[in-house]
Amino acid sequence: MMNPIWLRSFCTLVELGHFTRTAERLHMTQSGVSQHVRKLEEQLDTQLLLREGKKFSLTHAGRQLYQQGQTILQSLAKLEQGIKQDPPFAGEVRLMSPGSVGLKLYGELLELQCAHPELSLDYRFASNAGVESAIAAMEADIGLMTRQPELSEVQAEAIAEEPLLLVTPAGHEAVSWEELLQLGFIDHPDGAHHAKLLLGANYPEFEHCDQLPNRGFSNQIGLILEPVSRGLGFSVLPAYAVEAFARQDKITAHRLPVAVSETIYLCRRRQAVLPRRVDSLSEAIQACLRG
């Protein structure tokens, strides 16, 4: 493979037309420049320069090498510059999170992208397990989880708390256990877990979700409260999902006497060296959730 340092010496020599000026430009000796040219000729097994005292002219091979060598050196310089550059708001960031916190964040992060058009956001909703697996497999740069990661490859930092809310159709005020039984439960992928945390802390009668009549199920975070708004049952959801529901006049969100929250963890791959844009997005996420 051709040595790019030798090639740079040769192309600079052709550009300046003088060994002394080339040596000064490259902070070398004249003999060093001559040696680089000689090594290129030996490697290519062809003469590149016709030497005439202190002057020289190019052979056909020398002209070819100069023309194509310039392109190679420019490409190498561009590559080096691109790698060294690490702008805080340019390039792609791959982010994953559960749906509720995603409903809170996505619009805010799109505003950030609007302010920095060179920033590209790849945002995907997934379960805690899905987020963790993607980070471990380097399929996501960062992720948000509502539990501590279990995989050793993933590290986490607690950045916020998200309250769990009991949500009933509009018009229900203080909700008794008997009223919950009458309404029935609108389930979702984390329904049993959230119900156990919130109802278990506030209703002595609660033991497990099987006690509650099942009135429906949805795995779409934006639609879970649709049947609730139509009077078909109640649900337990994180606050961001409740706040994002469009028909607020059709539901009532209850903050029960014993408050229960889920911790939100910002996760990344352990010992990963990430570009500045990922740190910039992480800071924006924390500001949004803490605000």
Side-chain angles (χ1 to χ4, degrees):
M1 184 176 293
M2 189 176 298
N3 188 316
I5 297 176
W6 302 346
L7 182 61
R8 183 187 64 169
S9 298
F10 173 76
C11 289
T12 305
L13 175 63
V14 174
E15 177 188 345
L16 298 179
H18 199 281
F19 278 90
T20 302
R21 288 200 295 270
T22 299
E24 291 172 352
R25 168 78 65 85
L26 299 177
H27 306 289
M28 299 172 59
T29 63
Q30 293 185 47
S31 61
V33 175
S34 298
Q35 185 180 37
H36 286 181
V37 175
R38 188 163 54 252
K39 286 182 176 180
L40 278 175
E41 290 179 324
E42 291 173 356
Q43 182 179 22
L44 297 172
D45 193 24
T46 188
Q47 190 174 2
L48 300 173
L49 303 180
L50 295 174
R51 295 165 178 81
E52 303 164 1
K54 293 185 179 180
K55 297 182 180 180
F56 65 86
S57 60
L58 294 176
T59 64
H60 175 68
R63 284 194 298 273
Q64 281 186 307
L65 181 61
Y66 175 67
Q67 292 168 356
Q68 297 180 38
Q70 280 186 308
T71 302
I72 293 171
L73 291 174
Q74 289 169 2
S75 297
L76 288 173
K78 186 176 180 181
L79 175 62
E80 181 179 359
Q81 183 180 21
I83 291 174
K84 287 182 177 179
Q85 285 182 343
D86 190 10
F89 294 103
E92 183 184 60
V93 180
R94 301 168 301 165
L95 167 65
M96 296 179 73
S97 80
S100 178
V101 67
L103 292 175
K104 169 72 172 178
L105 283 176
Y106 189 50
E108 298 282 347
L109 296 182
L110 288 180
E111 289 299 319
L112 183 67
Q113 187 174 351
C114 287
H116 303 279
E118 292 184 0
L119 182 66
S120 175
L121 184 63
D122 183 336
Y123 198 136
R124 307 192 183 205
F125 291 1
S127 65
N128 283 319
V131 173
E132 185 175 10
S133 297
I135 293 173
M138 295 185 288
E139 295 169 354
D141 299 311
I142 52 175
L144 296 167
M145 296 174 59
T146 55
R147 63 162 172 79
Q148 286 273 17
E150 298 172 354
L151 299 176
S152 60
E153 300 95 325
V154 181
Q155 67 181 36
E157 174 191 3
I159 61 169
E161 297 285 329
E162 183 177 15
L164 294 177
L165 302 178
L166 170 66
V167 189
T168 64
H172 293 264
E173 299 303 328
V175 185
S176 66
W177 176 250
E178 289 71 24
E179 196 168 358
L180 293 182
L181 292 176
Q182 184 177 0
L183 281 169
F185 189 57
I186 303 297
D187 201 2
H188 55 87
D190 290 319
H193 174 63
H194 289 160
K196 179 180 179 181
L197 292 175
L198 185 63
L199 302 185
N202 286 276
Y203 294 91
E205 303 90 341
F206 179 85
E207 295 178 359
H208 48 75
C209 268
D210 291 343
Q211 295 171 269
L212 301 168
N214 188 290
R215 301 290 191 230
F217 179 95
S218 176
N219 66 349
Q220 294 296 321
I221 189 69
L223 298 177
I224 293 169
L225 291 179
E226 192 62 36
V228 176
S229 71
R230 297 169 189 254
L232 297 175
F234 79 93
S235 194
V236 177
L237 280 171
Y240 297 144
V242 179
E243 293 169 4
F245 186 63
R247 301 202 294 160
Q248 292 288 316
D249 60 321
K250 300 297 183 181
I251 61 172
T252 299
H254 304 265
R255 292 183 180 269
L256 300 180
V258 179
V260 176
S261 296
E262 286 190 311
T263 302
I264 298 175
Y265 297 93
L266 179 62
C267 303
R268 62 178 64 201
R269 202 173 199 281
R270 196 175 301 277
Q271 297 180 341
V273 180
L274 298 173
R276 288 180 63 197
R277 60 183 179 270
V278 176
D279 291 332
S280 298
L281 198 73
S282 298
E283 292 170 5
I285 289 170
Q286 294 181 62
C288 178
L289 295 183
R290 289 171 178 168

